[in-house]
Amino acid sequence: MRLLQRLSNGYIALTRNFHDVAIPQYAILSHTWGNEEEEVTFDDMSGGRGRDKAGFDKIKFCAEQAAKDGLEYFWVDSCCIDKSNKAELQEAISSMFRWYQRSAKCYVYLSDVSDQKTHLMWEQAFRKSRWFTRGWTLQELLAPVSVEFFSKEAHRLGDNLSLEQQIHEITGIPRKALRGEPLPQFSVNERMSWIGDRKTTLEEDLAYSLLGIFGVDIPPRYGEGSKEAFERLEKEIGKLEECLRDLRLTDPRHHKSHIEHIKGGLLEASYRWILGNDDYQTWRNDEQSRLLWIRGDPGKGKTMLLCGIINELNKSMAKTALLSYFFCEATNSRINNATAVLRGLIYMLVCQQPSLISHIRKEYDHAGKALFEDSDAWFALSEVFTDMLQDHTLNSTYLIIDALDECVEVDMPKLLKFIAEKSSLSSRVKWLVSSRNWPPIEEQLKKAGSKVTLCLELSAESVSTAVSTYIQHKVHQLVQDRNYDDMTRNSILDYMFLNADSTFLWVALVCQNLENTHTPQGLIRARLNSFPPGLDSLYRRMIAQIYESKDSELCKRILALIATAYEPVNLKEVASLVEMLEESFDDVKSLQEIVGLCGSFLVVRDRTIYFVHQSAKDYLLAEASIKIFPSGMKKIHYEIFSRSLNVLSRKLRRNIYNLDSLSYPIERVQPPHPDPLAALRYPCLYWVDHLYESEPHNHAEMKVSLQDRGPVYVFVKEKYLYWLEAVSMCKGMPKGVLAIAKLEKLIQGEEAATLAKLVYDARRFIMYHKHAIEVSPLQAYASALLFSPNSSLIRHHFNKEEPDWITMKRQIGTQWSTCLQTLEGHSGTVNSAVFSHDLRRLASASDDCTVKIWDAASGACLQTLKDHSRFVSSVAFSHDSTRLASASGDYTIKIWDTSSGACLETLVHHSGSVRSLAFSQDSAQLASASDDSTVRIWDASTWVCLRTLADHSSTVSSVTFSHDATRLASASHDCKIKIWDTESGMCLQTLRGHEDFVNSVTFSHDSTQLASASDDRTIRVWDAGSGVCLQRIIAHGKGIVTSVAFSNNSTQLVSASSDRILTIWDASSGAYLQALRGHSGSINSVAFSRDSTQLISASHDRTIRIWDAGDGAYPQTLDDSHSNIVSAVAFSHDSTRFASASYDRTVKIWDTSNGVCLQTLDIGHNDTVDRLAFSDRSEKLILASGNGRVETWDQLEDSTGRRLWAQQKSRSWVSQAMSRFLGRENIDYVNQRSSYEPRSGGVALSSGGEWITYNSKNLLWLPPEYRPSCSAVSGGMIGIGVGSGEVWFFNVEANAIE
């Protein structure tokens, strides 16, 4: 921003271009332009000219008025912008609203209004002024804090407050907007209407002048016309509105009003004491005091105190200042987590300063709503929020968070750490937080700089006075409602003053009790005496009253349910889960009244039941459990399980929301009214958890549920698919995966073989099809059934649900494959994947510059770590699983906290890409290998580089510690393996034998052997002591060996190869044991889990796969498959035959009616066939290679009458016979690639290859291993060749679909 400066000699000069953070206070001029030659331009001011122009009078006026107001600097649009500089002009248009908003004074110079006549006459001229008809002046009226109007004689006429009525009548703009209310509070249509009949000189400027009004930014394109400019503006507004809708989890302003309402209103006299408190004043007025922590015991009124502070800040802070706040509630799962806090704070900031949304849009435009809801939301929003706090345009800001102690336990540390770190980030931002007196919170907040602590217990006198005021207020209301006399009122007051113990919650609960029981006036004193002082004593009395009531049993059951539930339940769920409430299921009012019987322990908000306060739940679980759970909590868990299974069995059905297609995406699903899942969501997600916690194997009456043909068996057999659909509708698939795994674990050891087999199959089913059902719930009845093996019990029990409009002409096999899960999410090659040592997490590294941390049980992505600037090549967990190291092509190593995702350290000493990492067994050291030909050993506590090992002559590709951490092995592209002493850094041995790059090296668990993998297509096993090569395994004849790993018991080796195969070997003999196929790209890394029951592999196909390595079963393979990527496919013209070509140098001919391979043709050369075509009569097959080779095969009849394909004897690079047999059209066809290309009409594949489509609408989700490397379509048939070498045929009945 360039300003004008009035110098001491009265001369006016242009300043340098200020950056936003260094702009001094300034005034700003708003005016209407005269003729262009009359206005003083940037060139005039730069050249010291223009003083003789008529427009200079306005500049002189602004300078003199600014001087009167004590301002040295001012801004005038006509001469402060270099309009010949397109970049500067664009920045000025984008920043104009903000520049007016930040001005200390805005002077409106009205050249057509004279005040030389009567007030009535100048007011008439004011109402007709041209200034109110111009487009740009709309933002100049609304943006500034102070707008002063001047006549052409430079006399002040008034300001936006004194002339508010006239301005409102002239413009039709609401008074609230004129007074500075945030503009996003007004609808888009209302704001758009304010432009009215305004005009601009350039037609496009009418749209551009509204950018600040809507808080959006579009680059100016002069010459595009008004229509196009407004279309772009409206499109950008639409994106902004959609982003805000998706961001909004709750509006904290509404939540605050709701809190005040349910607590009986905010009493000003009960909080005003804090405004004069020394600690508060220090925080408010001292620039260095940026964080205030208000702490106190339960019931001390912290929440209402913060409500009062918010109200006072709204009154007293500058109009340009921002105020954002959030109220955590432990009993509300939507607002009791760290991500919800950030969403609420960001939402309020953007509502007040819309330009801040640019920080969200960077990520949102790519990720959409998932940015706020997926497993990475906390990390993404942390970065967004940090960027906002550092934005140089951010106005002075106050951030308030109530009840930190009510944030869920797993999230609290990272939220506290975030607050402690960010509270010192910007001098323009002040933080205020509240919580109970909890040591962990104190410990974390100690780390914040410039913190002030206000302890309510140390302000006892002030709090006591506030509580006394609150008592008077509540008793006054009670007396009026009940028409009590003065003596009764005084009795109540006396008792409360004596027993309240400075606790607001105690007062509120007693008054609520008195209101609910309609106690006669004569019995008030006796009634009061039943309320003991102190919260715990009061809770004890409330329990006693429940116990003595006629509804005792019902109340106990409700309290037991709410106290035991894993999250708040709604009224309909309570009616489903408490048998005594079944008759009231549809009577919401009756249900609310019944909940009201529970002695003030519970409160209903938006039809969801919560504890009145967290301390109430704490008391029930700690002090009253015997009364609420007389048979123990395990019995309550079992009752909830039993009721859940009962209601799910009765209510679940196929397509419960009546969606109109099997591919209906979850993000578009809207619950119908009434919602059939309203009463089923909690039972769906938690029935297994309650069964598990009941420990049924220890109780005979519960054990029946886990018997063959028992309730669980019947439910899984008859309702499993409907349950999966419902779980997906509830967006709970990760919970569903964990639930079935927990159920399988529960069954182990039980004498229920039939149930065990069924649940095993159910677990494999959900693990394999999780993503498809998560994306489109009804794919449970399509993709999930079609792509399950024939032996699947779930597929068998639900065969009636399979779609009849599609058939697979080649069977996928009879058993589940050894691949347990396929994890998708990376957008580039996955280079490395490892298990954590506690087996709870997985980590992966990718060419997309990210590291992902996954939940090992559910496959849910927990975090995406994004600090690297180039490919990430390797990841390694510390042995205590608390830290993760990542190596990158940006020459750095980063150390991450696995819980919070925070980057703890960046190590920068390598001078080349870092290729491999390994922690020592005791997690005390980290080793790294690099393209710079060195290995470095780092101290894992200080991250100091202890040693640099520099004896290799080329890239070091792999590094590994021995189990006792005394030795280190490294593998290099110099074809050598070196063993080092970790203490001295001395090279102990150099192992030679490989003939090409060595890609991987690993110690056996007992450290007696080493295994290495090489580009020479071999694995070598070495004696780690002598360096003797014990075995040479020719591992992969068709691919280089990229990675090798020992099992934990050192009995097996697994190798990964560029040929997309994992191979398991006997480590002692080198014998081949098993091959695992499924990846469609080169496999870059493989590792065993610590217990050796699972394998994890990372691939060029962008997936991570988890394999079952524990049962010794051999996976199924289809004998007639290609052994390498399918490169080309084609149908015969009558669609009865299908040809596939592969990198394995074969072509296969298939019968499309049954999927049988009729013949395999050995093409006899090394050129890859990437084009295929049948002749018109299908008697010839043409093969074309990328280098121009074309050959033909003829269909001949052998002596038995079988028709077989044989190669023509004459073969040339371009067959002369092709024109005779095929004609020009088919020659053109064969010269086109037959690789996968999406089509729009009929049967086809989606653009990404994930769906089979019909008329561009999704039909069937394809699992990753069925996605095409090439494809062909003929009528309703689609043939797919995939990276693993498999070929698949699908026949789609169009008539059945339509």
Side-chain angles (χ1 to χ4, degrees):
M1 184 184 196
R2 194 182 288 106
L3 296 172
L4 294 168
Q5 182 181 15
R6 188 176 189 270
L7 304 177
S8 56
N9 60 5
Y11 189 78
I12 299 171
L14 274 172
T15 68
R16 63 183 173 85
N17 215 338
F18 288 104
H19 295 294
D20 274 351
V21 290
I23 297 174
Q25 278 205 314
Y26 61 91
I28 201 163
L29 180 69
S30 175
H31 65 111
T32 55
W33 285 39
N35 294 328
E36 199 163 320
E37 60 273 11
E38 296 176 356
E39 297 294 340
V40 180
T41 66
F42 172 78
D43 288 339
D44 291 334
M45 291 303 297
S46 299
R49 301 184 300 273
R51 298 178 68 86
D52 56 341
K53 288 187 173 184
F56 191 79
D57 290 341
K58 292 183 285 188
I59 297 172
K60 185 179 177 184
F61 150 73
C62 191
E64 291 172 350
Q65 187 60 44
K68 290 177 186 177
D69 289 327
L71 298 168
E72 182 181 345
Y73 299 92
F74 60 101
W75 187 86
V76 181
D77 58 354
S78 57
C79 59
C80 287
I81 305 170
D82 181 2
K83 295 183 176 65
S84 65
N85 184 327
K86 289 186 177 180
E88 183 173 332
L89 177 61
Q90 179 172 335
E91 183 190 1
I93 290 173
S94 300
S95 307
M96 195 85 70
F97 187 89
R98 188 173 75 253
W99 289 349
Y100 274 89
Q101 189 178 50
R102 287 191 158 190
S103 63
K105 295 278 186 177
C106 176
Y107 308 132
V108 178
Y109 181 80
L110 301 174
S111 58
D112 55 356
V113 177
S114 172
D115 65 344
Q116 298 299 302
K117 301 178 182 178
T118 65
H119 180 280
L120 179 62
M121 294 184 70
W122 78 249
E123 186 178 327
Q124 288 176 343
F126 178 79
R127 289 177 177 273
K128 295 178 182 177
S129 174
R130 181 170 173 262
W131 187 85
F132 289 108
T133 70
R134 308 305 295 165
W136 287 107
T137 58
L138 176 60
Q139 68 175 3
E140 294 162 17
L141 170 64
L142 295 173
V145 174
S146 169
V147 183
E148 298 182 4
F149 294 87
F150 292 83
S151 67
K152 66 180 181 180
E153 293 86 10
H155 296 154
R156 189 177 187 277
L157 303 174
D159 60 21
N160 51 332
L161 295 178
S162 63
L163 295 171
E164 179 187 292
Q165 181 61 30
Q166 291 93 327
I167 297 170
H168 167 66
E169 292 172 1
I170 296 165
T171 63
I173 296 173
R175 292 180 178 85
K176 283 187 176 181
L178 296 173
R179 292 172 190 161
E181 287 284 320
L183 296 182
Q185 293 186 19
F186 302 91
S187 72
V188 170
N189 288 339
E190 186 172 12
R191 280 178 280 167
M192 194 67 78
S193 71
W194 298 343
I195 199 71
D197 296 325
R198 292 172 183 263
K199 300 285 190 295
T200 52
T201 303
L202 299 174
E203 60 175 309
E204 297 89 352
D205 274 341
L206 197 60
Y208 304 158
S209 69
L210 292 170
L211 296 181
I213 302 294
F214 290 102
V216 296
D217 187 22
I218 57 172
R221 295 178 189 165
Y222 287 106
E224 67 177 326
S226 175
K227 183 175 181 293
E228 178 69 25
F230 268 99
E231 284 178 357
R232 288 200 297 130
L233 172 66
E234 288 165 2
K235 183 177 180 181
E236 196 64 20
I237 292 170
K239 289 180 182 177
L240 170 65
E241 293 292 299
E242 183 181 11
C243 181
L244 275 176
R245 278 194 302 271
D246 289 344
L247 170 64
R248 183 188 184 278
L249 180 67
T250 181
D251 188 330
R253 293 166 296 195
H254 297 159
H255 189 206
K256 173 178 174 288
S257 299
H258 181 68
I259 289 170
E260 293 173 3
H261 172 71
I262 64 172
K263 290 181 179 287
L266 179 61
L267 185 62
E268 186 174 326
S270 68
Y271 71 77
R272 286 200 62 83
W273 66 270
I274 199 170
L275 305 179
N277 179 275
D278 290 343
D279 293 326
Y280 178 81
Q281 285 291 319
T282 299
W283 172 77
R284 185 78 169 85
N285 301 318
D286 182 357
E287 272 195 25
Q288 298 306 311
S289 299
R290 298 182 191 162
L291 173 63
L292 173 63
W293 175 33
I294 296 177
R295 60 190 180 96
D297 291 336
K300 294 296 182 183
K302 297 183 292 296
T303 297
M304 297 303 274
L305 188 63
L306 265 60
C307 287
I309 290 172
I310 289 166
N311 288 357
E312 294 301 320
L313 286 173
N314 269 323
K315 294 177 192 174
S316 60
M317 67 186 192
K319 284 190 176 179
T320 55
L322 309 180
L323 174 59
S324 183
Y325 47 85
F326 192 87
F327 294 86
C328 292
E329 284 189 14
T331 54
N332 188 339
S333 59
R334 293 176 66 250
I335 54 174
N336 68 354
N337 57 83
T339 302
V341 173
L342 290 192
R343 287 177 71 174
L345 294 178
I346 291 171
Y347 178 77
M348 281 199 69
L349 288 179
V350 171
C351 283
Q352 296 166 83
Q353 189 174 330
S355 62
L356 294 173
I357 204 165
S358 61
H359 298 290
I360 307 174
R361 290 286 300 278
K362 291 178 203 170
E363 297 287 340
Y364 177 82
D365 288 350
H366 172 70
K369 193 175 184 180
L371 174 67
F372 311 124
E373 295 181 344
D374 69 13
S375 54
D376 301 326
W378 162 259
F379 304 97
L381 292 178
S382 297
E383 292 177 10
V384 166
F385 197 46
T386 301
D387 290 344
M388 284 183 172
L389 297 182
Q390 294 177 309
D391 191 319
H392 58 262
T393 71
L394 181 73
N395 296 331
S396 176
T397 300
Y398 295 91
L399 301 173
I400 298 176
I401 306 172
D402 178 52
L404 290 172
D405 53 284
E406 299 201 29
C407 182
V408 290
E409 186 177 351
V410 69
D411 276 11
M412 193 190 304
K414 65 185 179 187
L415 179 59
L416 291 169
K417 187 173 186 289
F418 183 83
I419 293 168
E421 289 176 353
K422 306 309 176 187
S423 61
S424 57
L425 198 63
S426 171
S427 59
R428 297 191 300 275
V429 180
K430 285 183 177 285
W431 294 72
L432 191 157
V433 298
S434 75
S435 77
R436 298 193 204 184
N437 291 306
W438 280 9
I441 295 176
E442 183 174 14
E443 192 64 31
Q444 283 284 357
L445 294 183
K446 271 182 184 177
K447 300 171 185 175
S450 307
K451 174 178 66 72
V452 179
T453 301
L454 195 163
C455 178
L456 296 181
E457 281 70 31
L458 297 178
S459 303
E461 187 176 341
S462 298
V463 175
S464 179
T465 302
V467 171
S468 296
T469 304
Y470 181 67
I471 289 171
Q472 291 173 349
H473 170 71
K474 294 295 289 183
V475 171
H476 176 72
Q477 287 182 328
L478 182 65
V479 167
Q480 282 194 322
D481 290 345
R482 295 287 179 265
N483 200 24
Y484 292 151
D485 59 25
D486 290 347
M487 184 180 294
T488 304
R489 181 197 64 200
N490 292 336
S491 295
I492 299 172
L493 286 172
D494 291 343
Y495 189 83
M496 288 196 169
F497 287 147
L498 184 63
N499 294 286
D501 192 27
S502 301
T503 305
F504 287 91
L505 180 58
W506 186 91
V507 176
L509 288 172
V510 170
C511 289
Q512 182 180 336
N513 234 293
L514 291 174
E515 289 168 6
N516 291 344
T517 54
H518 303 281
T519 306
Q521 186 165 281
L523 300 177
I524 280 291
R525 184 175 294 277
R527 181 69 175 156
L528 283 169
N529 288 330
S530 70
F531 301 124
L535 274 180
D536 279 2
S537 299
L538 180 58
Y539 288 147
R540 196 176 301 117
R541 176 58 188 149
M542 287 161 57
I543 285 289
Q545 288 175 331
I546 289 173
Y547 218 74
E548 295 162 5
S549 74
K550 60 180 174 55
D551 300 304
S552 170
E553 193 59 34
L554 177 57
C555 290
K556 285 192 293 182
R557 287 181 179 274
I558 293 172
L559 286 173
L561 168 64
I562 305 303
T564 309
Y566 295 101
E567 63 177 53
V569 296
N570 63 45
L571 290 168
K572 284 188 175 292
E573 287 167 337
V574 167
S576 296
L577 296 173
V578 177
E579 188 174 3
M580 297 168 71
L581 292 177
E582 274 190 343
E583 293 182 4
S584 303
F585 183 83
D586 293 317
D587 189 346
V588 172
K589 185 178 179 182
S590 175
L591 288 170
Q592 285 181 309
E593 290 172 353
I594 291 168
V595 171
L597 298 173
C598 295
S600 302
F601 276 103
L602 305 176
V603 63
V604 179
R605 301 176 202 156
D606 300 324
R607 299 190 177 185
T608 299
I609 305 167
Y610 303 92
F611 278 100
V612 68
H613 194 269
Q614 182 63 28
S615 61
K617 180 178 181 179
D618 295 343
Y619 176 82
L620 283 181
L621 293 175
E623 305 294 335
S625 60
I626 294 177
K627 292 188 175 180
I628 300 301
F629 315 113
S631 302
M633 287 193 71
K634 290 178 173 47
K635 178 69 172 175
I636 299 298
H637 278 296
Y638 189 80
E639 287 178 1
I640 296 173
F641 150 72
S642 183
R643 291 292 302 167
S644 295
L645 210 63
N646 180 278
V647 70
L648 292 174
S649 298
R650 287 188 288 112
K651 300 286 187 179
L652 288 179
R653 60 175 176 83
R654 175 172 170 152
N655 197 4
I656 199 164
Y657 278 179
N658 297 321
L659 304 180
D660 60 14
S661 77
L662 288 174
S663 61
Y664 204 93
I666 187 64
E667 64 267 18
R668 285 178 46 205
V669 172
Q670 294 295 325
H673 184 76
D675 181 0
L677 289 178
L680 304 182
R681 183 186 176 278
Y682 186 88
C684 263
L685 298 182
Y686 294 106
W687 67 273
V688 174
D689 296 278
H690 286 290
L691 174 62
Y692 192 88
E693 289 300 323
S694 71
E695 298 181 3
H697 48 275
N698 291 332
H699 303 84
E701 72 276 15
M702 300 180 190
K703 198 171 182 178
V704 66
S705 60
L706 295 179
Q707 292 178 353
D708 286 339
R709 319 298 174 185
V712 171
Y713 175 87
V714 172
F715 178 76
V716 176
K717 179 176 178 287
E718 297 180 357
K719 299 291 181 177
Y720 186 67
L721 243 57
Y722 312 143
W723 175 71
L724 287 181
E725 176 198 331
V727 169
S728 178
M729 293 293 189
C730 297
K731 299 183 179 178
M733 284 302 288
K735 276 191 173 73
V737 173
L738 293 175
I740 294 302
K742 187 178 281 190
L743 181 61
E744 186 179 34
K745 182 179 178 182
L746 190 63
I747 293 167
Q748 289 175 0
E750 298 293 325
E751 296 177 2
T754 306
L755 175 61
K757 289 177 182 177
L758 180 61
V759 173
Y760 167 80
D761 191 72
R763 180 176 65 83
R764 294 303 307 270
F765 192 95
I766 191 173
M767 289 178 73
Y768 188 79
H769 300 298
K770 176 178 83 79
H771 194 56
I773 301 171
E774 202 167 31
V775 169
S776 294
L778 299 188
Q779 284 297 303
Y781 311 105
S783 176
L785 289 175
L786 198 64
F787 293 107
S788 293
N790 292 334
S791 66
S792 167
L793 297 174
I794 297 298
R795 182 174 184 177
H796 170 72
H797 291 315
F798 290 89
N799 61 356
K800 63 183 184 300
E801 302 289 3
E802 282 195 42
D804 57 4
W805 43 263
I806 187 167
T807 53
M808 272 183 90
K809 293 299 183 180
R810 188 162 180 252
Q811 295 303 314
I812 65 172
T814 59
Q815 303 294 327
W816 289 105
S817 76
T818 50
C819 181
L820 300 174
Q821 285 190 81
T822 301
L823 307 182
E824 299 181 89
H826 282 294
S827 58
T829 293
V830 188
N831 297 309
S832 175
V834 290
F835 287 100
S836 65
H837 290 263
D838 61 9
L839 303 182
R840 293 174 54 213
R841 295 183 179 90
L842 316 170
S844 56
S846 171
D847 277 1
D848 65 11
C849 306
T850 71
V851 173
K852 288 183 181 287
I853 299 177
W854 312 77
D855 182 275
S858 69
C861 180
L862 303 176
Q863 299 167 26
T864 299
L865 314 178
K866 299 181 179 180
D867 269 8
H868 284 296
S869 59
R870 291 192 66 205
F871 64 85
V872 190
S873 51
S874 179
V875 282
F877 280 102
S878 62
H879 282 252
D880 60 7
S881 302
T882 61
R883 290 168 294 171
L884 180 73
S886 59
S888 171
D890 62 13
Y891 300 7
T892 71
I893 301 158
K894 291 186 182 288
I895 312 299
W896 311 85
D897 183 296
T898 55
S899 293
S900 68
C903 182
L904 304 174
E905 201 76 36
T906 300
L907 313 182
V908 294
H909 291 305
H910 279 294
S911 58
S913 297
V914 189
R915 294 292 175 177
S916 178
L917 294 169
F919 273 100
S920 60
Q921 182 72 22
D922 59 4
S923 300
Q925 294 183 333
L926 175 73
S928 57
S930 170
D931 279 0
D932 64 11
S933 306
T934 70
V935 173
R936 289 180 181 267
I937 301 177
W938 311 79
D939 185 304
S941 57
T942 63
W943 301 114
V944 171
C945 181
L946 302 175
R947 273 165 289 286
T948 300
L949 314 179
D951 202 29
H952 282 293
S953 60
S954 186
T955 291
V956 188
S957 52
S958 179
V959 67
T960 182
F961 279 99
S962 63
H963 193 71
D964 59 7
T966 60
R967 288 169 296 168
L968 184 75
S970 58
S972 171
H973 287 184
D974 62 11
C975 308
K976 300 170 187 173
I977 300 153
K978 290 182 179 288
I979 302 177
W980 312 80
D981 183 286
T982 55
E983 183 64 32
S984 66
M986 182 184 298
C987 181
L988 302 175
Q989 294 183 66
T990 299
L991 311 183
R992 294 175 174 87
H994 282 297
E995 299 170 2
D996 209 331
F997 294 167
V998 187
N999 299 312
S1000 176
V1001 64
T1002 183
F1003 273 101
S1004 61
H1005 191 69
D1006 58 11
S1007 301
T1008 61
Q1009 294 183 338
L1010 272 174
S1012 56
S1014 170
D1015 273 15
D1016 66 10
R1017 294 176 167 79
T1018 70
I1019 300 162
R1020 287 179 181 260
V1021 181
W1022 312 79
D1023 184 293
S1026 66
V1028 172
C1029 180
L1030 303 175
Q1031 291 184 60
R1032 177 176 177 266
I1033 304 171
I1034 301 174
H1036 298 268
K1038 298 179 182 178
I1040 62 173
V1041 193
T1042 56
S1043 181
V1044 64
F1046 275 104
S1047 62
N1048 199 50
N1049 58 10
S1050 303
T1051 62
Q1052 292 184 336
L1053 272 174
V1054 62
S1055 61
S1057 168
S1058 62
D1059 65 7
R1060 303 163 315 287
I1061 300 172
L1062 294 173
T1063 308
I1064 300 177
W1065 313 86
D1066 183 286
S1068 60
S1069 66
Y1072 165 90
L1073 298 178
Q1074 193 172 355
L1076 308 179
R1077 292 178 172 86
H1079 279 295
S1080 59
S1082 172
I1083 306 174
N1084 299 319
S1085 84
V1086 64
F1088 274 99
S1089 61
R1090 185 176 55 82
D1091 60 3
S1092 300
T1093 61
Q1094 294 183 340
L1095 287 167
I1096 184 170
S1097 57
S1099 170
H1100 191 76
D1101 64 13
R1102 304 181 180 185
T1103 70
I1104 302 109
R1105 290 179 185 251
I1106 315 299
W1107 309 80
D1108 186 346
D1111 60 7
Y1114 285 74
Q1116 252 182 305
T1117 57
L1118 300 178
D1119 294 335
D1120 50 9
S1121 303
H1122 288 288
S1123 63
N1124 211 322
I1125 297 171
V1126 181
S1127 55
V1129 291
F1131 278 103
S1132 63
H1133 287 265
D1134 60 4
S1135 300
T1136 62
R1137 297 292 182 265
F1138 186 77
S1140 62
S1142 168
Y1143 285 11
D1144 67 6
R1145 302 185 183 92
T1146 68
V1147 173
K1148 290 179 181 286
I1149 311 299
W1150 308 82
D1151 185 327
T1152 59
S1153 66
N1154 55 22
V1156 171
C1157 180
L1158 302 174
Q1159 190 176 352
T1160 298
L1161 316 180
D1162 186 345
I1163 62 175
H1165 58 76
N1166 293 330
D1167 297 327
T1168 299
V1169 175
D1170 55 10
R1171 301 169 185 84
L1172 289 171
F1174 283 92
S1175 63
D1176 288 343
R1177 293 190 299 277
S1178 302
E1179 80 281 8
K1180 291 186 178 294
L1181 178 67
I1182 300 92
L1183 284 60
S1185 302
N1187 61 1
R1189 178 193 290 268
V1190 178
E1191 57 191 275
T1192 61
W1193 291 64
D1194 293 332
Q1195 193 176 39
L1196 306 174
E1197 192 172 292
D1198 69 2
S1199 58
T1200 66
R1202 286 193 310 158
R1203 298 192 66 79
L1204 299 174
W1205 292 88
Q1207 190 174 1
Q1208 278 191 354
K1209 290 183 180 178
S1210 61
R1211 186 178 69 200
S1212 64
W1213 288 100
V1214 180
S1215 172
Q1216 297 297 319
M1218 284 178 64
S1219 297
R1220 295 198 311 273
F1221 286 117
L1222 303 179
R1224 182 71 251 167
E1225 181 181 348
N1226 281 312
I1227 295 175
D1228 290 339
Y1229 175 82
V1230 84
N1231 284 325
Q1232 298 172 3
R1233 291 188 63 85
S1234 60
S1235 61
Y1236 156 60
E1237 294 176 0
R1239 300 169 47 191
S1240 57
V1243 177
L1245 290 163
S1246 63
S1247 58
E1250 300 97 344
W1251 291 90
I1252 291 178
T1253 66
Y1254 181 72
N1255 290 343
S1256 300
K1257 293 183 178 179
N1258 294 339
L1259 286 181
L1260 184 78
W1261 173 270
L1262 295 175
E1265 53 265 51
Y1266 295 87
R1267 292 177 194 164
S1269 58
C1270 53
S1271 66
V1273 175
S1274 178
M1277 292 197 72
I1278 184 163
I1280 292 174
V1282 301
S1284 64
E1286 301 285 3
V1287 176
W1288 306 101
F1289 312 101
F1290 302 88
N1291 188 42
V1292 179
E1293 298 289 342
N1295 293 337
I1297 296 171
E1298 293 172 350

